[in-house]
Amino acid sequence: MGLLAILRRLKSSPEKELRILLLGLDNAGKTTLMKKLSGEDVTHVTPTQGFNIKTIYVVDSSDRKRMDETSFELSELLVEDQLHAVPVLVYANKQDLATAATAAEVAQSLALQTIKDRQWQIQSCSATSGDGIKEGIEWIAQQTMKKN
């Protein structure tokens, strides 16, 4: 099943609103990932000014210097009342780069193992090639179906 088919299936339930929040530091690959999810061309992506309104946390796995900042920002988001108990999918993006940290290294840097109030998953991916994106969306779909 393709990415768009999975998202359409999730949105097909009229009594349940589906919202996917795609967050991450600048240059993590959020716009590329969003374009890939929407079936758009990812060969010409420019940095986003402000934000996109197409409603997951995206981590640039090759930017090891900013892992502490990424961890802090994620932990700040997880205490938001509106996100209480919401499952968290972390995309360890840019796995196609030789300098990328593994998903396990990213999980450790973000202290994901300390998250006890919700389900979480880390998924290796490359937003440019699409590798790993479908698996992350399938996990989100499973989490959503469990709540129905």
Side-chain angles (χ1 to χ4, degrees), residues 82-125:
Q82 293 178 332
L83 297 178
H84 175 73
V86 171
V88 173
L89 169 64
V90 176
Y91 275 121
N93 193 23
K94 302 188 182 182
Q95 290 295 307
D96 52 320
L97 301 179
T99 57
T102 66
E105 291 170 325
V106 172
Q108 186 173 0
S109 294
L110 300 181
L112 295 180
Q113 69 280 2
T114 65
I115 298 174
K116 306 293 184 198
D117 64 340
R118 68 192 78 221
Q119 294 294 312
W120 62 269
Q121 173 75 14
I122 185 151
Q123 177 64 53
S124 297
C125 80

Side-chain angles (χ1 to χ4, degrees), residues 3 22-23 28-34 36-37 56-62 89-104 106 121-137:
L3 291 173
L22 187 60
L23 301 168
K30 300 175 300 294
T31 301
T32 303
L33 182 62
M34 184 184 67
K36 197 67 156 179
L37 286 170
I56 332 180
Y57 199 81
V58 182
V59 176
D60 180 347
S61 299
S62 69
L89 169 64
V90 176
Y91 275 121
N93 193 23
K94 302 188 182 182
Q95 290 295 307
D96 52 320
L97 301 179
T99 57
T102 66
V106 172
Q121 173 75 14
I122 185 151
Q123 177 64 53
S124 297
C125 80
S126 168
T128 55
S129 71
D131 292 341
I133 296 173
K134 180 179 177 183
E135 292 82 355
I137 294 298

Side-chain angles (χ1 to χ4, degrees), residues 1-20 134-146 148:
M1 182 179 295
L3 291 173
L4 291 176
I6 294 169
L7 291 174
R8 282 188 190 109
R9 186 183 74 200
L10 289 172
K11 292 192 324 186
S12 66
S13 176
E15 70 278 354
K16 181 116 174 120
E17 181 181 18
L18 171 67
R19 289 189 275 174
I20 296 176
K134 180 179 177 183
E135 292 82 355
I137 294 298
E138 286 174 342
W139 181 82
I140 286 289
Q142 287 176 341
Q143 298 307 306
T144 302
M145 296 302 173
K146 284 181 185 176
N148 288 342

Side-chain angles (χ1 to χ4, degrees), residues 73-80 83-84 88 115 117-118:
E73 293 296 332
L74 178 59
S75 65
E76 289 290 303
L77 286 167
L78 294 179
V79 297
E80 290 291 325
L83 297 178
H84 175 73
V88 173
I115 298 174
D117 64 340
R118 68 192 78 221

